[in-house]
Amino acid sequence: MAAPPAPATEGSPQPEPQVREPGPGSARRGREIPAAQVSLVLFGGKVSGAAADPVAGFFINRSQRTGSGRLMPWVLGCTPFIALAYFFLWFLPPFTSLRGLWYTTFYCLFQGLATFFQVPYTALTMLLTPCPRERDSATAYRMTVEMAGTLMGATVHGLIVSGAHKHHRCEATVTPGPVTISPNAARLYYIAAAVVAVTYPVCSSLLCLGVKERPDPSTPASGPGLSFLAGLGLTTRHPPYLKLVISFLFISAAVQVEQSYLVLFCTHASQLHDHVQGLVLTVLVSAVLSTPLWEWVLQRFGKKTSAFGISAMVPFAILLAAVPTAPVAYVVAFVSGVSIAVSLLLPWSMLPDVVDDFQLQHHHGPGLETIFYSSYVFFTKLSGACALGISTLSLEFSGYKAGACKQAEEVVVTLKVLIGAVPTCMILAGLCILMVGSTPKMPRQDASSRLSLRRRTSYSLA
């Protein structure tokens, strides 16, 4: 197994680390990392990222305003360390016995650092404007650009490492012992990792130059009126927030399982190995193109109605498991991208409405945005960690063998269940929870204006 690829930021449709065929990223290795260790890497990384969310919310909530603002220093300070952690995710250590520990360490480190970047970054969307419609538009813009960046990164990474796979051929039997790979192959992976890592400081610099934090003269620049722990206790008992979190626990876990095992399904449960790159790109392109459309649907028909777009993935996922042919796979990939787009856009669009609903009911001071955002990401990451960890262990128990071209029938059946039945049940459960009861509506402009007067800082595009 090559080094696990870095996860996309929350809101980007990119496959998570997965068990893969022996490839160039495994140069100088003595053996592949077994599926059980892969499960440990996945679970450990997700749990560390989830655990970092409340910690990030706590420190950001208590941080004082600086010359560049209160949130921006966290974004800029984490950037160089995230870039280094990402690079070492693709670095092949010279030892073989502790490679599982190596990848677990840097995956956990990357997830934790990414959390301290992500919480203030996403909270900026909430505070760009007091107008709910403008916040929704800003959220859609952010999600579109994030997914477009993911598409560009995946394309650039794939083009760089494509030369490492030109002469790779799958053998009918797995030969025990060390696998010898050209040093040039490992070098290509290092170059690709370095190119992607450089984009972190570049993009953070553009963010700092394009978005300025400005103090609101209507409120003092003192600390928040409510402590983090007290605010966390109140927010987690807010019924609309609980419903939003629980519903998208199931939906986000379903999307992550669907994405993570697409490559293995195409490789071992169908004859679609040559179409893997095309299918992944189809998912990304359809997600990018459909996000602006979903923003229009949210504004025109409402957020609760738009949630039904997520269910479009269900029949097509079952169809792919039943009829795994190339034409069906591309149709499923396109529809999945459309559904993933709304499943990622909808919670981030509904979360500001929940925050405003909470503020109007409890009348607490500013500073609760980071608590809502950090705790939401915490719960979704924790659900994804459990879903992916259990799914990967199920492959191990079914007899998956890393590097084998042909897997046992039990493995094929398990992959079909992970692609079809598991996401279907999770999506339907999440939608049922989301549809029960009322959903907070976008507050009127006058209510939003009153809320803005209580905010300690305001954000505007430079």
Side-chain angles (χ1 to χ4, degrees):
M1 173 186 163
T9 57
E10 190 77 18
S12 300
Q14 180 174 334
E16 296 290 334
Q18 55 202 312
V19 185
R20 296 191 289 179
E21 302 306 301
S26 306
R28 304 189 306 273
R29 70 171 179 243
R31 60 184 177 87
E32 293 81 17
I33 297 177
Q37 291 190 27
V38 176
S39 178
L40 178 62
V41 173
L42 287 170
F43 185 77
K46 289 291 185 179
V47 169
S48 66
D53 282 298
V55 177
F58 175 79
F59 284 107
I60 295 172
N61 181 258
R62 293 176 60 89
S63 61
Q64 299 296 321
R65 182 178 177 84
T66 65
S68 57
R70 186 169 64 95
L71 302 182
M72 197 64 70
W74 289 94
V75 173
L76 297 178
C78 293
T79 297
F81 301 103
I82 296 175
L84 288 175
Y86 179 86
F87 176 79
F88 283 111
L89 274 175
W90 294 93
F91 183 81
L92 189 70
F95 46 83
T96 59
S97 59
L98 297 177
R99 281 186 184 159
L101 179 61
W102 170 277
Y103 294 131
T104 301
T105 300
F106 281 101
Y107 190 42
C108 293
L109 183 62
F110 178 84
Q111 288 277 11
L113 290 170
T115 295
F116 278 85
F117 177 95
Q118 178 187 350
V119 170
Y121 170 68
T122 53
L124 283 173
T125 305
M126 175 69 188
L127 301 177
L128 278 171
T129 172
C131 178
R133 287 187 177 273
E134 292 179 357
R135 286 199 307 243
D136 290 343
S137 298
T139 300
Y141 176 80
R142 174 175 67 86
M143 301 293 293
T144 302
V145 174
E146 282 185 5
M147 288 186 281
T150 301
L151 176 61
M152 293 175 59
T155 302
V156 171
H157 189 280
L159 290 174
I160 294 175
V161 304
S162 60
H165 294 272
K166 288 181 178 179
H167 305 290
H168 174 61
R169 300 180 64 182
C170 188
E171 303 293 338
T173 59
V174 181
T175 304
V179 180
T180 304
I181 302 296
S182 170
N184 180 63
R187 184 176 62 86
L188 291 176
Y189 274 86
Y190 299 157
I191 294 174
V195 170
V196 176
V198 167
T199 62
Y200 280 97
V202 172
C203 294
S204 295
S205 299
L206 293 176
L207 176 67
C208 182
L209 294 174
V211 179
K212 298 298 183 183
E213 252 182 88
R214 294 171 182 169
D216 189 345
S218 62
T219 54
S222 60
L226 196 65
S227 68
F228 176 81
L229 293 179
L232 183 62
L234 286 174
T235 56
T236 53
R237 293 195 301 268
H238 190 53
Y241 182 66
L242 284 177
K243 186 177 71 171
L244 177 69
V245 168
I246 295 174
S247 61
F248 280 97
L249 286 182
F250 289 96
I251 294 173
S252 62
V255 171
Q256 291 184 62
V257 170
E258 179 83 13
Q259 289 179 313
S260 298
Y261 294 100
L262 176 63
V263 175
L264 285 181
F265 175 83
C266 293
T267 303
H268 300 298
S270 62
Q271 301 299 320
L272 300 173
H273 185 272
D274 295 335
H275 299 275
V276 168
Q277 294 297 331
L279 292 174
V280 173
L281 290 178
T282 300
V283 172
L284 291 172
V285 170
S286 64
V288 172
L289 296 179
S290 60
T291 300
L293 175 62
W294 281 117
E295 167 60 17
W296 177 83
V297 173
L298 291 179
Q299 299 285 358
R300 179 66 178 81
F301 300 101
K303 299 176 182 179
K304 190 177 246 188
T305 303
S306 303
F308 287 102
I310 304 173
S311 62
M313 187 190 304
V314 171
F316 287 93
I318 297 175
L319 179 63
L320 179 61
V323 188
T325 60
V328 172
Y330 279 99
V331 173
V332 172
F334 180 82
V335 176
S336 296
V338 174
S339 297
I340 288 172
V342 67
S343 71
L344 297 175
L345 176 63
L346 192 59
W348 293 112
S349 181
M350 296 177 69
L351 190 56
D353 299 337
V354 172
V355 176
D356 282 345
D357 181 76
F358 177 86
Q359 289 277 37
L360 290 173
Q361 290 187 27
H362 294 273
H363 304 288
H364 287 290
L368 292 177
E369 292 85 3
T370 55
I371 298 178
F372 275 97
Y373 276 78
S374 61
S375 57
Y376 170 76
V377 178
F378 167 77
F379 290 121
T380 53
K381 284 183 178 180
L382 191 61
S383 67
C386 295
L388 291 176
I390 294 173
S391 301
T392 307
L393 284 177
S394 67
L395 282 179
E396 178 80 0
F397 295 145
S398 64
Y400 177 85
K401 296 180 180 178
C405 292
K406 185 175 179 59
Q407 300 288 345
E409 184 63 26
E410 291 80 2
V411 176
V412 175
V413 173
T414 301
L415 288 172
K416 289 184 177 181
V417 171
L418 292 175
I419 287 293
V422 172
T424 296
C425 295
M426 288 184 173
I427 288 175
L428 294 179
L431 289 177
C432 289
I433 296 173
L434 188 64
M435 295 301 144
V436 174
S438 60
T439 301
K441 296 180 174 58
M442 292 187 298
R444 298 187 304 273
Q445 179 63 39
D446 57 344
S448 298
S449 300
R450 291 196 304 269
L451 282 172
S452 67
L453 295 177
R454 296 203 304 268
R455 301 198 188 283
R456 182 170 59 255
T457 55
S458 61
Y459 302 80
S460 61
L461 296 178

